Each structure stands twice: as structure tokens, then as C-alpha cells.
Amino acid sequence: MSDMEPWKEFPHIWSTKSKFMSWVRGGIRGGLWKKHPVKLQYMESKTFKIENTNPRSMKAHPLVKASQCEICGVVEKLVVNKKNYFEVDHINGNSSLRSMDDVRSFIDSMIMVTFDDLQIVCKECHAVKTLAERKGVSFEEAFLEKQVIAVCKGSTSSIKAFLIERGMEPARNAEQRKKQVREALKTGGEDV
Ligand SMILES: [Zn+2]
């Protein structure tokens, strides 16, 4: 049974093994993890009410549900612009699921959890933490890399302006400028 290779039998559905495994991972996350009762209770335990500052709804609902990121400490409404602001994270990271042999350990790590294994984090911190885990670098390094990517997404002239503002002479090629941006952010330690 586990010798079966569905991506070979159905290449028009999953062109590679990694696409098949990604489908399995998504199924476990979307099925077992998304509405995991322990996770939902944890979220509830970390939820409190804050003053509603939205002029359109504050009269009807003077208080709204909110939470606090356990990494950066930001306090925010649970839902901002119709999107969840927070996510529940496995503190020790998710184990990998690269072949069917990993299924048991993957499911275990995802669902056999107590409150001590979980933390509530804002989406931004969650993305940084996931990147750090994937690349095997520290949270700070991953945070810096995200900032570098954010700056370098801009137009060439905006990147040059960013460097000039920080007293640097923009290099001629994009790769060099990226290094300069990283250097500027590292020494500046600023929020972007
Ligand atoms: Zn955060």
C-alpha cells in the first residue's frame, strides 16, 4: 500500500511527489488542525475584549474581541478588515512531511498538543517564524530578511532613495544594492 506512488499513476493530478505530499499536508492542516478543539480552546483562553474604535459599529458593539501576539506583544482585534489577525502556532515548529513514512509523526506533532505547546501570534510574526524554521536561521535573521525583501520589492528608484536617505551611495547592480539594503537595515535596526 505504501509502495503506491499516486503521482506516477496520476501525473495529470500531481505532477511530482512533492505536489502530492503538499496536498496531503494541506489536507491534515485544513481538516485536523484548522478546527482542532484544543487549539480553539487555547485561542478562546487568550481572547479578551477591547474598546471598539470603529465609528460604524461602536454604538452597537462597544467592545470587540482581541488578543495579543506572544512574540511581538502587539494587541489587536481578532478580525481586521475581515481577516484573522492572529494564528495559533506550534512553539516547537511543525515536523516535516516529505514522504508517506512521515505521516504518523507529522499528525502527532500537529494534533497531540497541550496548551504548553501552543502560542498565539500575529500573522507577520508567524510568517517570520516559519521562514526562520524553513531556513534554519534565527527569528531575528529571518525578520531582517523579510525587511530586505520588502524594501527590494520596490522600484529601483525607491531602493536608491532608501539607500541615499541612509547616507549610502547606491551600487550599480541590483544584487549589490540588496546587500546594501541589508547592511543599512542591520545597522539601523528600524521598522519598515
Ligand atoms: Zn507578532
Side-chain angles (χ1 to χ4, degrees):
M1 182 190 82
S2 55
D3 291 340
M4 203 184 144
E5 298 185 315
W7 53 94
K8 285 188 180 159
E9 285 188 53
F10 303 99
H12 55 293
I13 302 179
W14 305 283
S15 56
T16 59
K17 180 181 181 181
S18 102
K19 286 199 174 143
F20 177 79
M21 294 317 301
S22 149
W23 171 74
V24 177
R25 274 199 304 275
I28 295 168
R29 284 216 181 88
L32 292 174
W33 173 242
K34 200 172 176 199
K35 300 214 165 159
H36 193 324
V38 173
K39 166 194 158 171
L40 297 180
Q41 266 194 29
Y42 181 76
M43 199 141 188
E44 192 61 39
S45 79
K46 292 287 173 180
T47 299
F48 47 88
K49 298 238 171 129
I50 59 171
E51 203 180 322
N52 185 0
T53 52
N54 183 343
R56 280 201 230 161
S57 57
M58 59 199 291
K59 269 219 157 132
H61 306 283
L63 296 173
V64 284
K65 284 187 174 181
S67 194
Q68 181 170 28
C69 174
E70 293 186 58
I71 292 179
C72 73
V74 67
V75 172
E76 189 46 272
K77 289 175 284 181
L78 288 191
V79 179
V80 177
N81 297 330
K82 294 183 180 165
K83 286 191 185 138
N84 291 332
Y85 193 84
F86 295 99
E87 289 169 344
V88 176
D89 171 55
H90 290 80
I91 293 172
N92 288 322
N94 296 329
S95 61
S96 62
L97 179 55
R98 296 211 171 82
S99 82
M100 291 307 284
D101 294 336
D102 300 334
V103 167
R104 175 67 204 262
S105 62
F106 183 79
I107 291 183
D108 275 0
S109 74
M110 187 136 295
I111 70 170
M112 307 295 259
V113 291
T114 69
F115 283 9
D116 290 341
D117 301 311
L118 304 174
Q119 61 182 353
I120 190 155
V121 294
C122 71
K123 274 189 172 166
E124 209 171 307
C125 284
H126 205 190
V128 173
K129 185 167 176 260
T130 305
L131 181 70
E133 282 164 0
R134 210 172 53 222
K135 301 241 169 181
V137 300
S138 71
F139 185 88
E140 287 70 26
E141 285 171 295
F143 184 64
L144 177 67
E145 222 35 52
K146 281 231 158 219
Q147 289 180 307
V148 171
I149 291 165
V151 172
C152 292
K153 251 190 207 160
S155 63
T156 304
S157 58
S158 76
I159 297 167
K160 286 182 177 171
F162 175 91
L163 291 168
I164 291 165
E165 256 174 52
R166 285 153 186 84
M168 294 171 105
E169 172 80 16
R172 280 173 181 275
N173 73 64
E175 203 48 45
Q176 288 296 327
R177 285 196 294 271
K178 193 174 180 180
K179 277 188 190 159
Q180 289 180 308
V181 168
R182 186 177 295 116
E183 208 44 53
L185 287 167
K186 219 189 232 173
T187 48
E190 58 192 296
D191 292 331
V192 175

